[in-house]
Amino acid sequence: MKKLLSGALALALCASLTGCGGGNSDDKVLKIGASVTPHAEILNNIKPDLEEMGYTVEIVEFSDYVKPNTALEDGELDANYFQHNQYLDEWNDKNGTSLVSAGDVHFEPMGIYSDKYTSLDELEEGQHVIIGIPNDATNGGRALQLLASKGLFELDEDLGITATPKDIGDSKYDIEIVEMNAETVPVNLADMDLGVVNGNNALNAKVLDKIIVTEDAGGVAQQFANVIAVRDGDQDSQKIKDLMSVLKSQKTIDFINETYDGIVVPFFTVE
């Protein structure tokens, strides 16, 4: 009985360490959470390349901005791909987590969309203008700065993405700001005059034909680059390094440029 028990313990210890010389099977499994568009599409484009390297790749699609981070923090995912740097920082601050970026991949210019107008010049002075913006702090502040830069109202630039509707200054319009989940803004355009929409949500809702103007990528790209997020420490693991090397490739650049017509912009170069 003692010999059998000792053998069982040895086998358990062997499996928990190195798989008895065969390597941990989890090292060749990549489970990545992603927004449907464009993130999951970009990952699916390079999935065959990872499989050729011996990886089993599972891409889990999410439709919200909360579950991908909770699933990553809980160990259900190896990585996720749906958020920009600022949102990741805000998430960590609010939730006491330490998720980190393994690298920037692309940038999605935020845009002003409308179901009623084709130009901001069509708005009349004194008009009551209902504007939908994302209700999370980073995207909400970013949306307000975009609206201010296009002359909808005055707003202190120094506030950056910390701006809230309470910070709105003078305007030649009667502005009403409606805050809602970012993914719901484009599907509710009929109920507002303008909506400020993230690129991925515009793609998901198929409202690209309703865009009026976008933000200047040069001023905000560094802050709002979309990243591969992992648990702190995992960015140095071999499988995450392999993921990033395959993802940040000319194949990805070509796919993004050919598929998204400027709504998604690669945020890396290949030497």
Side-chain angles (χ1 to χ4, degrees):
M1 178 66 75
K2 289 182 179 179
K3 288 183 179 180
L4 288 173
L5 182 58
S6 298
L9 287 172
L11 285 172
L13 179 61
C14 176
S16 68
L17 294 175
T18 62
C20 298
N24 190 334
S25 62
D26 285 346
D27 288 343
K28 284 297 183 179
V29 175
L30 270 168
K31 190 172 182 180
I32 311 166
S35 296
V36 178
T37 304
H39 306 81
E41 295 170 347
I42 294 171
L43 290 171
N44 276 308
N45 181 59
I46 53 96
K47 181 179 178 181
D49 302 271
L50 289 166
E51 291 174 337
E52 286 183 8
M53 297 172 69
Y55 286 98
T56 298
V57 181
E58 181 181 356
I59 300 168
V60 183
E61 297 182 351
F62 291 90
S63 60
D64 73 300
Y65 285 1
V66 174
K67 293 177 183 177
N69 275 342
T70 57
L72 178 59
E73 178 68 19
D74 292 343
E76 298 173 21
L77 302 171
D78 295 301
N80 69 39
Y81 179 33
F82 78 99
Q83 64 197 318
H84 51 61
N85 283 299
Q86 287 288 337
Y87 185 87
L88 178 59
D89 289 344
E90 179 197 348
W91 176 272
N92 283 328
D93 289 342
K94 287 177 63 176
N95 295 279
T97 51
S98 55
L99 304 179
V100 299
S101 167
D104 301 335
V105 182
H106 76 265
F107 169 67
E108 299 169 15
M110 182 174 269
I112 301 175
Y113 292 73
S114 180
D115 205 30
K116 302 175 182 177
Y117 304 100
T118 59
S119 169
L120 296 178
D121 293 336
E122 296 173 22
L123 300 175
E124 299 181 0
E125 186 170 349
Q127 178 180 342
H128 182 64
V129 182
I130 302 174
I131 307 175
I133 68 169
N135 63 1
D136 62 279
T138 52
N139 284 312
R142 180 183 177 189
L144 292 173
Q145 291 293 352
L146 171 59
L147 291 164
S149 72
K150 302 305 176 183
L152 273 299
F153 45 74
E154 292 183 3
L155 186 69
D156 186 349
E157 290 184 9
D158 292 338
L159 290 172
I161 60 170
T162 67
T164 71
K166 294 180 180 179
D167 298 310
I168 292 176
D170 293 339
S171 174
K172 60 182 178 181
Y173 310 107
D174 177 21
I175 300 291
E176 178 183 350
I177 298 293
V178 180
E179 299 175 278
M180 61 186 71
N181 290 339
E183 62 270 21
T184 66
V185 178
V187 298
N188 286 292
L189 288 177
D191 299 323
M192 59 188 76
D193 296 295
L194 307 172
V196 185
V197 184
N198 300 78
N200 64 311
N201 291 323
L203 287 164
N204 285 333
K206 297 179 173 57
V207 296
L208 297 185
D209 59 323
K210 298 177 181 179
I211 193 167
I212 296 178
V213 65
T214 64
E215 65 191 348
D216 178 9
V220 298
Q222 185 64 53
Q223 288 181 296
F224 297 108
N226 280 227
V227 303
I228 293 289
V230 298
R231 291 178 295 278
D232 193 13
D234 287 353
Q235 66 269 35
D236 297 320
S237 69
Q238 189 59 51
K239 64 181 177 181
I240 298 301
K241 288 181 179 179
D242 288 342
L243 169 62
M244 297 310 298
S245 68
V246 173
L247 186 56
K248 297 178 75 168
S249 64
Q250 188 62 45
K251 181 178 182 179
T252 297
I253 291 176
D254 293 341
F255 177 80
I256 290 174
N257 289 337
E258 293 167 6
T259 305
Y260 301 113
D261 195 26
I263 296 299
V264 181
V265 181
F267 199 69
F268 62 91
T269 58
V270 177
E271 297 182 359

